[in-house]
Amino acid sequence: MKNFTNYRLWLVGIALFMTGGLCAGCSGADDGQSGAEPEGKLRLEMSANYAKVGDTVNFTVYKGDVDVTANAIIRMKGDKTPCSPNYKADRAGTRYFAAIYNESSTSYQPVRFYVPYRDEGEFFKKSLVLKFTGAWCSACPLMYKYLGEIEVERPGRTAVMAVHSGDVFASDVSEELVQDYQITSFPHAVFDYKTSVSNNAAELNAALDDMLAEEPAICGIALRSAVEDGEAAVKARIRVAQEDRLRLCCAVVEDGLRYDGGSSDDGLSNYYHVLRRFITDRFGEDVGTREAGEEFEHEFVFPVPEEWKKENCTVFVYALRLQEDGETVYVNNTSACALDGGESDFEYEPVPETAN
């Protein structure tokens, strides 16, 4: 009996020893000395917001005050492949980057990569916006408001051409444009002959971001326009930053057209940016392959109808690029000036002094 009691005490001792060891092990795992998750907000820091093509932009990811770059993922918008934390661009344009760490992510932040042109920098890029509208359309003034807000926030980034359909302002190509871009609801916008957007402020802003980011302006366009004896002469000077085959398109829009029977842009029966006429084919005139650094001139001469109020008219000239399929063309850059007595010079993207 005594031996049995001693045996039981021995088993209890072993059990207590093992339990203590296990608890000690648990305590050690929870002491926070190793493997603890950093606290705080995830943020992405970049060595530069502007950089020349070929320069390196370094990304650092922080969780609170802890550098977690080694275990984070850097994503570029539109690219499923993770980026290196030391990113080097091979072409100009704006890229958007975000960081992902565990279940946290940052918002996308822009970095603009530019190619200096001579001593002045990258050409300023203006996106052409075809706004499909009609005087009968009660929702259309809202898009006019949205595009106006974009112009306030990013001056000069858009050239709006209002394509009216089914009303007194419809042009001879309105229905053709509606069919080509498969417009089934109004209002609608098409950016640079490429991206179609419905009446949504966020989508309009996103479309403009995409157009500005996808590729830089491959040329700059300076204009001088005058009307004499009922005939307009628009002289365009083109500076080429990148060798490419170009087409040039010319069109005229008019502001302040009045019609009392519809939903006007400003609520006062006035309509703005109304497409009056394409001076060229809407796909432009082929001006051939041009070399980087080349500068050339092209002139558009056309009659000005009496019903146009020339003081309210603006002429658009824009460059189109032929795509790889040999048929599709997209707008690359746009310039505008007053039809009578107007001028516009070459514009360049602002490059901060801090840019490397």
Side-chain angles (χ1 to χ4, degrees):
M1 185 70 177
K2 183 177 180 180
N3 290 337
F4 179 73
T5 301
N6 289 338
Y7 178 71
R8 289 179 62 188
L9 291 173
W10 179 78
L11 288 176
V12 170
I14 293 294
L16 289 172
F17 174 79
M18 293 182 66
T19 302
L22 288 173
C23 290
C26 292
S27 175
D30 291 337
D31 62 5
Q33 298 302 312
S34 62
E37 173 70 18
E39 296 183 355
K41 185 177 180 180
L42 188 70
R43 70 182 192 277
L44 174 64
E45 293 190 359
M46 301 175 290
S47 60
N49 295 105
Y50 294 83
K52 293 179 183 178
V53 169
D55 286 354
T56 299
V57 174
N58 300 308
F59 298 102
T60 308
V61 184
Y62 291 95
K63 188 73 162 62
D65 295 326
V66 180
D67 184 341
V68 295
T69 307
N71 297 313
I73 296 173
I74 309 295
R75 291 276 190 199
M76 183 171 70
K77 191 174 184 179
D79 190 347
K80 296 181 180 180
T81 305
C83 296
S84 165
N86 311 111
Y87 183 82
K88 185 181 293 186
D90 59 1
R91 63 185 180 89
T94 303
R95 315 284 195 279
Y96 294 83
F97 298 90
I100 302 172
Y101 175 74
N102 289 344
E103 297 182 357
S104 300
S105 62
T106 67
S107 58
Y108 281 98
Q109 301 179 49
V111 180
R112 187 166 69 78
F113 296 92
Y114 65 94
V115 177
Y117 178 80
R118 297 178 182 173
D119 296 324
E120 293 162 310
E122 179 187 344
F123 287 113
F124 186 86
K125 186 168 183 177
K126 184 191 294 282
S127 183
L128 178 74
V129 183
L130 300 181
K131 182 184 73 169
F132 289 87
T133 184
W136 48 268
C137 173
S138 60
C140 289
L142 192 57
M143 179 172 282
Y144 172 80
K145 174 188 174 185
Y146 292 153
L147 291 172
E149 291 171 350
I150 289 176
E151 177 61 24
V152 170
E153 294 170 2
R154 288 183 275 187
R157 285 299 185 185
T158 57
V160 179
M161 183 186 295
V163 180
H164 278 250
S165 176
D167 64 19
V168 296
F169 302 131
S171 73
D172 57 352
V173 295
S174 291
E175 295 312 311
E176 182 181 346
L177 289 167
V178 168
Q179 293 176 15
D180 282 356
Y181 292 107
Q182 300 179 0
I183 306 301
T184 58
S185 62
F186 286 72
H188 221 87
V190 175
F191 284 74
D192 291 337
Y193 285 13
K194 186 175 185 179
T195 300
S196 182
V197 184
S198 61
N199 193 23
N200 180 286
E203 290 182 7
L204 290 167
N205 275 283
L208 178 58
D209 285 339
D210 289 343
M211 293 302 98
L212 298 178
E214 283 186 359
E215 60 180 35
I218 61 171
C219 67
I221 306 170
L223 300 177
R224 177 176 294 178
S225 181
V227 177
E228 186 175 350
D229 297 329
E231 187 174 76
V234 180
K235 296 181 179 180
R237 281 192 301 134
I238 315 298
R239 283 183 183 172
V240 182
Q242 175 183 317
E243 180 178 341
D244 215 317
R245 184 175 177 181
L246 297 176
R247 301 183 71 88
L248 292 179
C249 187
C250 181
V252 176
V253 302
E254 186 173 348
D255 286 335
L257 292 177
R258 291 188 61 82
Y259 177 64
D260 295 328
S263 300
S264 65
D265 289 334
D266 60 6
L268 301 172
S269 301
N270 294 309
Y271 296 84
Y272 297 87
H273 320 306
V274 178
L275 171 63
R276 280 310 213 171
R277 179 183 160 197
F278 278 105
I279 306 307
T280 62
D281 181 281
R282 63 188 175 91
F283 295 114
E285 298 176 356
D286 190 347
V287 294
T289 299
R290 300 290 176 160
E291 297 180 355
E294 181 180 355
E295 183 172 320
F296 67 96
E297 293 186 354
H298 196 82
E299 187 173 24
F300 306 93
V301 179
F302 52 93
V304 177
E306 292 184 1
E307 61 267 26
W308 294 5
K309 290 186 177 180
K310 61 182 182 180
E311 63 273 17
N312 293 339
C313 289
T314 300
V315 60
F316 290 175
V317 174
Y318 48 96
L320 303 102
R321 294 183 70 187
L322 188 66
Q323 302 302 300
E324 293 181 358
D325 62 9
E327 297 180 359
T328 308
V329 290
Y330 294 140
V331 177
N332 176 263
N333 204 10
T334 305
S335 186
C337 73
L339 178 64
D340 189 20
E343 291 186 29
S344 67
D345 203 352
F346 297 110
E347 294 184 80
Y348 298 88
E349 294 284 0
V351 179
E353 295 181 359
T354 56
N356 295 322

